[in-house]
């Protein structure tokens, strides 16, 4: 099941790649239904907050008509940055499934762990490494293509 | 100068209080000009990302027509949470001026310091305690009023 949903997040990442955005995709699942999708649009929207996760969280809140994303799981191709990990905390998402680690900015355990900090009022069940190779390759290919240009 | 700008952020916080939102306000200054304002609208917009800082950052990016808020200073009445501290990093804001500390979620030094982490590619010059009493009181009065209701 996790692989099926991660493959949908990968499809979102492809949409980012197609418009020359760093390919990261996210989806949010509520009771076995995909209620929101998002892909990185930082350059296109000229908005530093327009990461895949933030876009998906805003759409899921709209869909559920409230800011608490209870009983929701997010699938994201790359480990969330501080901003996105914080938004996941703020939205009370229950579970986070990550494709590949981010050794530069990853805030779900790799650089810092914001999702299991005893000071904060919410913890997020986190799974790493679902379709890890595919999630790595899409990023690697993107940067290779970018360097050639 | 810092006090003058923080008083504008406090006026934003008042707008939040007037609509029964937790009173936090932010403004962004670029070359001595206020280019963006924001106040917490999480409940009104039913959006977990609709904190004062995120709203101000989106508006400043629109104003400057780009996601990099270089040479910008943010004034915010309450220490930013993980999400907002992360958005400040992502937006490359140079300087952050904070009214009062947040002992629960503050990620600019109080609970965690995301703004001076050697792993990340940006650091933010941070000043605490400008109009601290006023920034504390507006929050205290809000929660007192809320408990009475």
């Amino acid at each position: 099941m996790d692989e099926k949903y991660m493959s949908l997040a990968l499809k979102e990442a492809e949409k980012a790649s197609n418009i020359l955005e760093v390919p990261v995709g996210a989806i949010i699942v509520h009771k076995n239904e995909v209620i929101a999708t998002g892909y990185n649009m930082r350059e296109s929207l000229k908005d530093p907050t327009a990461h895949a996760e933030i876009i998906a969280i805003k759409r899921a809140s709209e869909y559920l008509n409230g800011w608490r994303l209870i009983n929701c799981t997010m699938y994201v191709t790359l480990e969330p940055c501080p901003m996105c990990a914080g938004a996941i905390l703020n939205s009370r998402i229950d579970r986070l499934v990550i494709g590949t680690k981010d050794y530069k900015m990853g805030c779900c355990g790799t650089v810092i762990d914001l999702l299991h900090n005893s000071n904060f009022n919410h913890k997020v069940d986190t799974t790493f490494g679902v379709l890890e190779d595919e999630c790595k390759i899409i990023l690697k290919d993107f940067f290779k293509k970018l360097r050639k240009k």
Side-chain angles (χ1 to χ4, degrees), chain A:
Chain A
M1 209 59 166
D2 278 354
E3 298 204 348
K4 178 190 127 190
Y5 287 130
M6 188 60 81
S7 71
L8 296 177
L10 267 165
K11 281 208 191 318
E12 292 300 310
E14 271 169 36
K15 291 180 193 169
S17 184
N18 290 340
I19 56 166
L20 294 181
E21 296 274 2
V22 175
V24 181
I27 69 159
I28 296 176
V29 175
H30 178 253
K31 298 180 180 169
N32 296 316
E33 188 196 353
V34 179
I35 63 165
T37 64
Y39 55 91
N40 176 33
M41 298 209 286
R42 184 179 68 169
E43 305 293 338
S44 320
L45 296 180
K46 298 175 181 175
D47 178 351
T49 75
H51 285 190
E53 302 94 313
I54 300 285
I55 291 167
I57 285 172
K58 281 174 162 290
R59 287 179 179 164
S61 302
E62 218 176 296
Y63 182 89
L64 294 176
N65 198 33
W67 62 261
R68 288 177 190 83
L69 304 185
I70 292 166
N71 296 320
C72 285
T73 298
M74 178 186 280
Y75 292 80
V76 61
T77 57
L78 180 67
E79 183 179 359
C81 74
M83 173 183 74
C84 292
I88 289 163
L89 277 181
N90 289 353
S91 69
R92 313 284 195 269
I93 282 176
D94 284 295
R95 184 170 175 241
L96 177 67
V97 183
I98 296 168
T100 187
K101 289 183 181 180
D102 183 346
Y103 292 97
K104 284 186 186 164
M105 293 294 283
C107 274
C108 306
T110 301
V111 179
I112 298 181
D113 188 355
L114 291 174
L115 303 185
H116 302 89
N117 187 304
S118 58
N119 294 286
F120 299 150
N121 60 358
H122 185 64
K123 312 270 175 295
V124 182
D125 176 16
T126 308
T127 304
F128 274 96
V130 174
L131 298 187
E132 187 171 5
D133 288 344
E134 291 85 336
C135 292
K136 260 186 201 167
I137 286 165
I138 193 172
L139 283 162
K140 213 172 151 181
D141 285 354
F142 175 79
F143 287 111
K144 204 190 284 176
K145 204 170 68 182
L146 210 64
R147 276 192 300 270
K148 272 191 189 160
K149 279 196 175 173

